[in-house]
Amino acid sequence: MQNKRQPSTQQEPILLADHPALDLLNTLPNVNGKLVDLFQTDADVVHWLVRAELTPPATRPPAPPSSLLNAARTLRETFRRLLQKYKADERGDLTAINAFLTEAQSHPQLVWDRSRSLKVARVRQQTTPEQILAPLAEIAADLLVTGDMDLVKRCEDETCVLWFYDQTKSHHRRWCSMATCGNRHKVAAYRRRNLEREI
Protein backbone atom coordinates (compact mmCIF):
# COMPACT_ATOMS: atom_id res chain seq x y z
CA MET A 1 0.00 0.00 0.00
CA GLN A 2 1.40 3.36 -1.05
CA ASN A 3 1.83 6.18 1.42
CA LYS A 4 -0.43 9.05 0.55
CA ARG A 5 1.21 12.42 0.62
CA GLN A 6 -0.42 14.78 3.11
CA PRO A 7 -1.85 17.90 1.49
CA SER A 8 0.18 21.03 2.22
CA THR A 9 -1.30 23.35 4.83
CA GLN A 10 0.95 26.15 3.59
CA GLN A 11 -1.15 29.08 2.43
CA GLU A 12 -0.22 31.04 -0.65
CA PRO A 13 1.11 34.51 0.15
CA ILE A 14 -1.10 37.54 -0.33
CA LEU A 15 0.99 39.63 -2.71
CA LEU A 16 -1.29 42.49 -3.77
CA ALA A 17 0.18 45.52 -2.04
CA ASP A 18 2.47 46.60 -4.89
CA HIS A 19 5.29 46.84 -2.33
CA PRO A 20 7.10 43.95 -0.57
CA ALA A 21 7.24 45.67 2.83
CA LEU A 22 3.47 46.18 2.77
CA ASP A 23 3.01 42.60 1.58
CA LEU A 24 4.90 41.62 4.75
CA LEU A 25 2.27 43.42 6.84
CA ASN A 26 -0.40 41.53 4.91
CA THR A 27 0.86 38.20 6.26
CA LEU A 28 -1.51 38.85 9.17
CA PRO A 29 -4.89 39.16 7.40
CA ASN A 30 -8.39 39.23 8.85
CA VAL A 31 -10.12 35.96 7.91
CA ASN A 32 -13.75 35.58 8.96
CA GLY A 33 -13.34 38.21 11.67
CA LYS A 34 -10.09 36.84 13.13
CA LEU A 35 -6.47 37.75 12.48
CA VAL A 36 -4.71 34.75 10.93
CA ASP A 37 -0.91 34.63 10.91
CA LEU A 38 0.29 33.16 7.61
CA PHE A 39 3.70 32.69 9.24
CA GLN A 40 3.39 29.50 11.29
CA THR A 41 6.78 27.90 10.57
CA ASP A 42 10.21 28.81 9.25
CA ALA A 43 9.20 27.11 5.99
CA ASP A 44 6.22 29.48 5.66
CA VAL A 45 8.59 32.46 5.91
CA VAL A 46 10.98 31.00 3.33
CA HIS A 47 8.06 30.21 1.00
CA TRP A 48 6.83 33.81 1.32
CA LEU A 49 10.31 35.26 0.71
CA VAL A 50 10.75 33.10 -2.40
CA ARG A 51 7.30 34.05 -3.77
CA ALA A 52 8.04 37.74 -3.05
CA GLU A 53 11.36 37.27 -4.91
CA LEU A 54 13.39 38.35 -1.90
CA THR A 55 15.53 35.24 -1.56
CA PRO A 56 16.73 32.44 -3.85
CA PRO A 57 14.56 29.28 -3.98
CA ALA A 58 17.42 27.26 -2.47
CA THR A 59 17.27 29.19 0.83
CA ARG A 60 17.08 26.94 3.87
CA PRO A 61 15.78 28.03 7.27
CA PRO A 62 18.61 28.50 9.78
CA ALA A 63 18.86 26.52 12.98
CA PRO A 64 17.42 26.50 15.61
CA PRO A 65 13.87 25.81 14.45
CA SER A 66 11.45 28.76 14.61
CA SER A 67 14.27 31.31 14.72
CA LEU A 68 13.39 32.62 11.24
CA LEU A 69 9.69 32.59 12.14
CA ASN A 70 10.28 34.65 15.28
CA ALA A 71 12.58 37.08 13.46
CA ALA A 72 10.05 37.55 10.61
CA ARG A 73 7.24 38.23 13.05
CA THR A 74 9.46 40.70 14.93
CA LEU A 75 10.39 42.52 11.71
CA ARG A 76 6.74 42.61 10.60
CA GLU A 77 5.46 44.12 13.86
CA THR A 78 8.43 46.50 14.13
CA PHE A 79 7.72 47.81 10.64
CA ARG A 80 3.96 47.99 11.33
CA ARG A 81 4.53 50.16 14.43
CA LEU A 82 7.04 52.40 12.64
CA LEU A 83 4.78 52.86 9.62
CA GLN A 84 1.72 53.69 11.71
CA LYS A 85 3.66 56.21 13.80
CA TYR A 86 5.30 57.76 10.73
CA LYS A 87 1.95 58.13 8.95
CA ALA A 88 0.61 59.79 12.14
CA ASP A 89 3.58 62.20 12.04
CA GLU A 90 5.13 60.66 15.16
CA ARG A 91 8.61 59.33 15.83
CA GLY A 92 8.99 55.61 16.34
CA ASP A 93 11.78 53.62 17.95
CA LEU A 94 14.32 52.65 15.24
CA THR A 95 16.35 50.25 17.40
CA ALA A 96 14.74 47.00 16.25
CA ILE A 97 14.76 47.72 12.52
CA ASN A 98 18.33 49.01 12.75
CA ALA A 99 19.31 45.69 14.35
CA PHE A 100 18.12 43.92 11.18
CA LEU A 101 19.95 46.44 8.98
CA THR A 102 23.16 45.96 10.98
CA GLU A 103 23.10 42.26 10.10
CA ALA A 104 22.82 42.98 6.35
CA GLN A 105 26.23 41.67 5.40
CA SER A 106 26.62 41.87 1.64
CA HIS A 107 29.08 42.80 -1.04
CA PRO A 108 28.86 43.72 -4.73
CA GLN A 109 29.98 41.21 -7.32
CA LEU A 110 30.21 41.38 -11.10
CA VAL A 111 28.05 38.77 -12.86
CA TRP A 112 26.90 38.01 -16.39
CA ASP A 113 23.17 38.37 -16.89
CA ARG A 114 21.06 36.36 -19.36
CA SER A 115 21.72 38.78 -22.22
CA ARG A 116 25.48 38.33 -21.68
CA SER A 117 25.87 41.81 -20.27
CA LEU A 118 27.80 42.59 -17.15
CA LYS A 119 25.95 43.81 -14.11
CA VAL A 120 26.68 44.33 -10.45
CA ALA A 121 24.73 42.03 -8.14
CA ARG A 122 24.65 41.95 -4.35
CA VAL A 123 25.86 38.77 -2.73
CA ARG A 124 24.42 38.38 0.73
CA GLN A 125 25.28 36.30 3.76
CA GLN A 126 22.30 34.10 4.65
CA THR A 127 23.32 32.20 7.74
CA THR A 128 21.21 33.94 10.39
CA PRO A 129 17.51 34.82 10.38
CA GLU A 130 18.40 38.53 10.42
CA GLN A 131 20.66 38.11 7.38
CA ILE A 132 17.93 36.27 5.47
CA LEU A 133 15.45 39.05 6.32
CA ALA A 134 17.91 41.92 5.79
CA PRO A 135 16.83 42.64 2.17
CA LEU A 136 13.25 42.98 3.39
CA ALA A 137 14.34 45.25 6.26
CA GLU A 138 16.20 47.41 3.72
CA ILE A 139 13.09 47.63 1.52
CA ALA A 140 10.96 48.59 4.54
CA ALA A 141 13.47 51.25 5.62
CA ASP A 142 13.61 52.60 2.07
CA LEU A 143 9.80 52.88 1.94
CA LEU A 144 9.84 54.93 5.15
CA VAL A 145 12.52 57.26 3.76
CA THR A 146 11.60 57.60 0.09
CA GLY A 147 7.99 56.44 -0.17
CA ASP A 148 5.08 58.82 -0.50
CA MET A 149 3.15 58.20 2.71
CA ASP A 150 -0.03 59.55 1.11
CA LEU A 151 0.12 56.54 -1.24
CA VAL A 152 0.62 54.03 1.58
CA LYS A 153 -2.96 53.09 2.41
CA ARG A 154 -5.08 50.59 4.27
CA CYS A 155 -8.01 49.00 2.51
CA GLU A 156 -11.18 51.05 3.06
CA ASP A 157 -13.23 47.95 3.84
CA GLU A 158 -13.80 48.28 7.59
CA THR A 159 -13.25 44.54 8.14
CA CYS A 160 -10.00 44.43 6.15
CA VAL A 161 -6.55 45.06 7.62
CA LEU A 162 -4.52 44.84 4.40
CA TRP A 163 -2.16 47.57 3.22
CA PHE A 164 -1.13 48.64 -0.28
CA TYR A 165 0.94 51.23 -2.14
CA ASP A 166 -1.39 53.12 -4.46
CA GLN A 167 0.31 53.12 -7.84
CA THR A 168 -2.81 53.88 -9.84
CA LYS A 169 -2.63 56.84 -12.18
CA SER A 170 -5.24 58.83 -10.28
CA HIS A 171 -4.05 57.66 -6.83
CA HIS A 172 -7.65 56.90 -5.87
CA ARG A 173 -7.23 53.19 -5.11
CA ARG A 174 -9.50 52.34 -2.19
CA TRP A 175 -9.39 48.55 -1.88
CA CYS A 176 -6.72 45.96 -1.31
CA SER A 177 -8.33 44.08 -4.18
CA MET A 178 -11.29 44.89 -6.40
CA ALA A 179 -12.02 41.15 -6.59
CA THR A 180 -12.63 40.87 -2.85
CA CYS A 181 -13.15 44.04 -0.83
CA GLY A 182 -14.04 46.23 -3.81
CA ASN A 183 -16.63 43.73 -4.98
CA ARG A 184 -18.02 43.33 -1.44
CA HIS A 185 -18.45 47.12 -1.26
CA LYS A 186 -20.21 47.22 -4.67
CA VAL A 187 -22.61 44.45 -3.65
CA ALA A 188 -23.40 46.17 -0.33
CA ALA A 189 -23.99 49.51 -2.10
CA TYR A 190 -26.26 47.79 -4.64
CA ARG A 191 -28.31 46.18 -1.84
CA ARG A 192 -28.60 49.51 -0.01
CA ARG A 193 -29.88 51.22 -3.15
CA ASN A 194 -32.45 48.46 -3.68
CA LEU A 195 -33.64 48.71 -0.08
CA GLU A 196 -33.98 52.48 -0.39
CA ARG A 197 -36.11 52.06 -3.52
CA GLU A 198 -38.41 49.61 -1.74
CA ILE A 199 -39.02 51.97 1.19
Side-chain angles (χ1 to χ4, degrees):
M1 189 169 161
Q2 270 186 313
N3 285 343
K4 287 188 177 179
R5 182 177 254 178
Q6 292 290 331
S8 173
T9 58
Q10 198 169 55
Q11 293 191 26
E12 278 306 302
I14 300 170
L15 301 172
L16 51 73
D18 289 326
H19 196 284
L22 299 175
D23 283 324
L24 173 65
L25 298 183
N26 295 343
T27 61
L28 193 63
N30 186 348
V31 179
N32 298 323
K34 291 184 180 176
L35 291 178
V36 175
D37 197 334
L38 302 183
F39 289 167
Q40 294 296 315
T41 65
D42 287 346
D44 292 339
V45 177
V46 170
H47 178 69
W48 185 89
L49 289 167
V50 169
R51 289 297 309 271
E53 299 180 358
L54 292 170
T55 196
T59 301
R60 297 279 177 253
S66 297
S67 59
L68 182 61
L69 170 66
N70 294 333
R73 287 175 170 174
T74 297
L75 177 60
R76 179 182 64 201
E77 297 316 310
T78 296
F79 177 59
R80 185 185 316 279
R81 283 190 302 275
L82 275 174
L83 179 63
Q84 289 170 335
K85 283 191 172 284
Y86 197 59
K87 281 188 67 67
D89 226 7
E90 299 173 16
R91 286 181 170 216
D93 183 1
L94 303 176
T95 308
I97 199 159
N98 282 335
F100 281 93
L101 296 172
T102 300
E103 292 292 319
Q105 297 178 26
S106 66
H107 61 272
Q109 186 172 49
L110 275 174
V111 296
W112 294 105
D113 67 12
R114 289 184 182 165
S115 65
R116 295 186 178 169
S117 299
L118 276 175
K119 71 174 193 172
V120 176
R122 286 221 87 54
V123 177
R124 295 179 177 275
Q125 292 285 334
Q126 289 204 323
T127 55
T128 69
E130 292 76 15
Q131 288 172 343
I132 291 170
L133 295 169
L136 184 54
E138 289 177 12
I139 289 168
D142 185 65
L143 176 64
L144 291 169
V145 173
T146 65
D148 183 338
M149 289 298 114
D150 290 336
L151 303 182
V152 175
K153 302 176 180 179
R154 281 219 13 216
C155 181
E156 288 187 20
D157 184 305
E158 59 192 35
T159 64
C160 187
V161 296
L162 300 185
W163 291 80
F164 58 88
Y165 196 83
D166 185 355
Q167 295 189 24
T168 60
K169 208 176 221 180
S170 65
H171 301 306
H172 287 89
R173 181 176 169 186
R174 299 174 59 197
W175 318 109
C176 63
S177 166
M178 277 307 295
T180 55
C181 291
N183 189 51
R184 189 168 33 245
H185 176 76
K186 281 184 179 179
V187 169
Y190 175 77
R191 286 183 182 153
R192 258 192 321 275
R193 282 192 306 271
N194 282 345
L195 279 172
E196 288 167 3
R197 285 184 196 135
E198 290 173 7
I199 295 175

